[in-house]
Amino acid sequence: MTLRTGHTGLNVTDLDRSLAFYRDVLGFVLVGEGKEEGRRYAFLGDGERLVLTLWQQATGGYDGDRAGLHHLALEADSIERVRQYEEALRAYGAEFAYEGVVAHREGAASGGIFFHDPDGTRLEISVPSGAEGAPVPVDSAPTCGFF
């Protein structure tokens, strides 16, 4: 048996703010929640399985200079759906790493959008195909490197 990713747990500074972002902007479903002071968390799913857990345990925002999570990559079912997420994220006021849909590398059919959650965690929503002809922000490195 080969291992595969189950769910991802993220430490957040403000559970209510992060829950609103992941539920209301990205469309995850709240599966369960812990509201006890000092032990706040939320389980988020996609309607079929657990995808994310948010843990209110962080005292500061994301630090890309420390070992650990580089970015969280989510896959959409079409480039049109990626553009819908982009629109919702812009309305929310999310910070983007690049402008619009970009390819993963020069000549790639895969690509998507790269942005940050309320704590600065780097996120990607992409598709394996449909981004043909999209610009590449960094010629010498993968776009998902957030360079």
Side-chain angles (χ1 to χ4, degrees):
M1 178 180 124
T2 302
L3 292 175
R4 63 177 182 227
T5 304
H7 69 276
T8 302
L10 298 177
N11 280 342
V12 300
T13 58
D14 181 333
L15 183 63
D16 295 328
R17 178 182 69 174
S18 292
L19 180 56
F21 177 79
Y22 285 96
R23 181 191 58 214
D24 301 342
V25 180
L26 296 184
F28 287 103
V29 176
L30 180 63
V31 176
E33 187 173 13
K35 298 181 180 184
E36 180 183 332
E37 190 59 38
R39 296 181 190 269
R40 297 200 58 216
Y41 58 87
F43 295 143
L44 300 170
D46 62 5
E48 296 180 17
R49 62 186 182 92
L50 178 64
V51 177
L52 286 173
T53 57
L54 304 176
W55 304 93
Q56 186 171 296
Q57 297 178 341
T59 58
Y62 177 79
D63 184 352
D65 292 332
R66 297 183 64 162
L69 180 73
H70 181 272
H71 74 284
L72 175 60
L74 304 167
E75 189 173 299
D77 57 5
S78 69
I79 196 68
E80 292 77 18
R81 188 69 181 116
V82 172
R83 289 190 194 338
Q84 290 171 349
Y85 280 115
E86 179 186 10
E87 187 177 312
L89 288 158
R90 290 202 185 282
Y92 173 82
E95 177 189 337
F96 283 80
Y98 312 113
E99 187 58 39
V101 171
V102 296
H104 277 130
R105 61 180 167 64
E106 188 67 41
S110 64
I113 55 175
F114 299 82
F115 57 99
H116 300 85
D117 81 356
D119 283 311
T121 300
R122 299 181 289 204
L123 298 162
E124 164 189 351
I125 298 176
S126 62
V127 289
S129 64
E132 295 87 347
V136 177
V138 181
D139 290 335
S140 63
T143 304
C144 59
F146 281 80
F147 295 103

